[in-house]
Amino acid sequence: MQVTETLNDGLKRGYEITITAKELDDKVTAKLQEAQPEIEMKGFRKGKVPMAMLRKQFGPRILGEAMQDAVDGAMSDHFDKTGDRPAMQPKIEMKDGENWKEGDDVIVTVEYEALPEIPEVDLSGVSLERLVVKANEAEVNEALDSLAATAKNFEAKDGKAENGDQVVIDFEGFVDGEAFEGGKGEGYPLELGSGSFIPGFEDQLLGAKTGDDVDVTVTFPTEYGAEHLAGKEALFKCKVHEVKTAKAAEINDDLAKQFGAEDLAALKGQIAERLEAEYVGAARQVMKRGLLDQLDEKVKFDLPPSLVEAEAKQIAHQLYHEEHPEDHGHNHGEIETTDEHTSLAERRVRLGLLLAEIGRKQEIEVSDAEMTQAVMNQARQYPGQERAFFEFVQQNPQMQQQLRAPIFEDKVVDYIAGEAKVTEKEVTKEDLQKEIEKLDEV
């Protein structure tokens, strides 16, 4: 086997691999000899089929496998010797493939872009600022008010039902004069304005008083779950037993105990911790942007054009759909990339390669437990279809990589932050929000 270099221009590489007819024939023979002991054929005992017959029966298929093995082996040896790592899948073609016949040498052309050598970075020279926000009393009290609203009680009232009130009703639904299954309820507490019933139902109970009989006419949505009701007009006969007004729960130790806290002071402490945890996540994004900005300035190296081009197209495609949210398909034709797209792509590719190299050298990996957690988090977006989503991820390496990549990147960022000089600066929630908004401007 002979490997000849045909292209060496920047990161572009080209090679011609020649596999002689004898090398191929030897590989075919070796594969047939390996399989011979297990092969049975009519008229011959197991393992006693003559090699000539095996070659006639299985030769063409084995020849294809031998070619693939030879090329794969040659590429593996080449990458081991040169240290090259292809940026994308190499382009491999068989020279004169249509005219090739058994007994000829096989010549294969290989082209790829090599990943560049990435210089070392002195991480101790990186200086970062971590913003710290403490939850103040007003924010804690605002969150307490929201909790009290969710724990509200309803008390009987005289007068007409208003938005936000609760009506306790009996109801029975009819379509075309016939009662339908599932359309009946007794003593049902319905909060007006909650949107928990068919659109238009709750509005027709506004103004009702205790003891009223109310006919409610609505039309089921066309996408309603029960096909026999979808798009149908229905009449609901309702009896109002009681009208109640909402009363927010008192903010005291009893409220705290409803939410699993020992007392009000403990609940306030839990709320402050939760708020500050949210601020930590936001502050981390700001610090991460500062880190990436510094790395982008510190390190420069050649980039594989194919990676930049692919990333620029992805950016252009993403921005197009952000600007045209009504266009959900991919029939919009080719989206031209701009210099701005390319510039952003170069930054992303450069930083992506740099972080990947740092992670590789530090042997940073994403654990099975971390991947499982990521899949579970994603699966929650598809209630009732979690198992199907898990199976989809298991069978889709590209999806696995999409889930693994951000975890890996965050772990590398954490490593770099641990090596860098980090100072803390206490700011207000508003200051942090302004910094977050700046992230979207880039």
Side-chain angles (χ1 to χ4, degrees), residues 247-266:
K247 181 182 179 183
E250 291 186 21
I251 298 176
N252 53 26
D253 290 344
D254 289 336
L255 175 67
K257 289 173 182 176
Q258 287 186 47
F259 289 95
E262 185 176 340
D263 54 27
L264 184 58

Side-chain angles (χ1 to χ4, degrees), residues 227-341:
E227 291 184 9
H228 66 290
L229 297 176
K232 296 287 185 66
E233 183 179 277
L235 168 66
F236 284 86
K237 292 184 174 297
C238 303
K239 177 71 174 182
V240 181
H241 290 292
E242 202 169 5
V243 177
K244 298 182 177 183
T245 188
K247 181 182 179 183
E250 291 186 21
I251 298 176
N252 53 26
D253 290 344
D254 289 336
L255 175 67
K257 289 173 182 176
Q258 287 186 47
F259 289 95
E262 185 176 340
D263 54 27
L264 184 58
L267 180 59
K268 286 185 174 181
Q270 292 175 7
I271 291 173
E273 289 179 5
R274 177 177 58 79
L275 291 173
E276 288 173 7
E278 293 175 2
Y279 300 150
V280 166
R284 187 182 190 284
Q285 293 303 311
V286 174
M287 187 179 76
K288 180 179 176 181
R289 171 58 64 82
L291 167 61
L292 296 179
D293 287 346
Q294 288 187 56
L295 292 177
D296 191 39
E297 289 296 322
K298 283 178 174 288
V299 184
K300 301 294 181 184
F301 49 84
D302 291 337
L303 301 175
S306 59
L307 287 185
V308 174
E309 181 182 359
E311 185 65 27
K313 287 182 177 179
Q314 176 63 28
I315 291 169
H317 188 265
Q318 179 183 342
L319 292 177
Y320 171 85
H321 281 286
E322 288 178 2
E323 295 168 2
H324 303 83
E326 73 286 352
D327 190 346
H328 301 292
H330 297 279
N331 299 322
H332 42 61
E334 184 72 17
I335 300 173
E336 291 188 11
T337 56
T338 65
D339 290 344
E340 185 179 358
H341 297 149

